[in-house]
Amino acid sequence: MEDVATLRTVIGASCETSASLSATRDGRFAAYAADKAVVVVSLDDPDGSHGSRQILSGHAEAVTCVAFSECGTELVTAQKGPFPCVSVYRAVSSTGVDETDETDENATFVLRASFRASCASATALALARRKGGETRLALLGETPAGSFQTASIELWDWDYVTISNAPPAKIFSKVLREITRATCVAFSPDRDDRAFVCGDGFVTEATLALDR
C-alpha cells in the first residue's frame, strides 16, 4: 500500500493566495506572510497546539517573500510595491543572545536591518551562507512599468556574526534578458556564487564572478 499524506494540523491562515511560506531546517519554526505582516509559528509546543507565535509587522505593503537562512537563525522578508522594503530578522535566545548556528526553541526574531531594493516589486528571494559566516541574499523583482524586460535580480551581503551593526550592502544588480516574468530564484547548495532563476517559459543559470 502506498504512503498517503494526511493533513496533520492547520497552523494559521494567510490573506493572499500567493503568500510566501518558509520553515527552518530543524523544524522548530515556520513563517508565512499575512498581508502586511509575517507570522512566525513555533512548531515545538509540547502539546502540539502550535499556539506560540510572533507577529512581525514592519512592512507598509503586502509581504510577498519570506525565507529562513539555512541554519534558521535569520529570517528575511520583502514586500510588493516600488522600491520594496526588505527586512532582516535575527533569532535571539531566551537569554537575549543572538543565535549563530541553530535556533533555540524559545527564540524570538528581532529586526536587525531594513533597506530598500531597487526593483518595482519583490517576487522571490533566496539566501546563501558564505564561508566566513556572512549571508548573501538574492532578490528577484519586477522592473518598473514600461521596461522591455520584466525581471531583475539583486545581490546583497551582510555579516551579523562578526560585525553586529554593519548594514547590508548591494554588490550586484542586473535586469534579466528574458521578456517573460521571473518567479523563482535559488542558490546551488553550498555555493554563494551560483544561482538559478526560472519563470514563465524559461530556466536560467547565473554563475557570478564575485569574490567568495
Side-chain angles (χ1 to χ4, degrees), residues 123-126 138-142 150-155 172 174-188 194-208:
T123 57
L125 61 83
L139 178 68
L140 198 63
E142 298 175 352
T150 58
S152 64
I153 187 170
E154 301 175 27
L155 295 183
F172 180 81
K174 181 177 178 63
V175 174
L176 300 177
R177 294 180 180 178
E178 288 77 12
I179 300 175
T180 52
R181 181 172 180 264
T183 55
C184 302
V185 62
F187 281 104
S188 180
R194 190 180 187 189
F196 296 87
V197 177
C198 70
D200 299 335
F202 74 93
V203 177
T204 187
E205 175 187 351
T207 301
L208 308 168

Side-chain angles (χ1 to χ4, degrees), residues 10-92:
V10 176
I11 64 172
S14 64
C15 301
E16 295 188 14
T17 56
S18 59
S20 184
L21 170 72
S22 184
T24 57
R25 187 172 58 178
D26 58 15
R28 286 181 171 169
F29 295 96
Y32 63 91
D35 196 30
K36 298 177 183 179
V38 174
V39 183
V40 182
V41 183
S42 172
L43 304 178
D44 272 353
D45 291 339
D47 59 0
S49 65
H50 309 311
S52 299
R53 59 195 65 219
Q54 182 180 2
I55 309 296
L56 309 177
S57 56
H59 287 281
E61 299 290 343
V63 176
T64 54
C65 308
V66 176
F68 282 105
S69 61
E70 183 179 357
C71 60
T73 61
E74 290 183 327
L75 173 64
V76 179
T77 63
Q79 68 184 43
K80 67 180 181 181
F83 303 104
C85 176
V86 180
S87 297
V88 182
Y89 296 87
R90 288 280 298 179
V92 176

Side-chain angles (χ1 to χ4, degrees), residues 159-177:
D159 179 6
Y160 291 133
V161 176
T162 59
I163 310 173
S164 60
N165 295 319
K170 183 166 68 174
I171 62 169
F172 180 81
S173 180
K174 181 177 178 63
V175 174
L176 300 177
R177 294 180 180 178

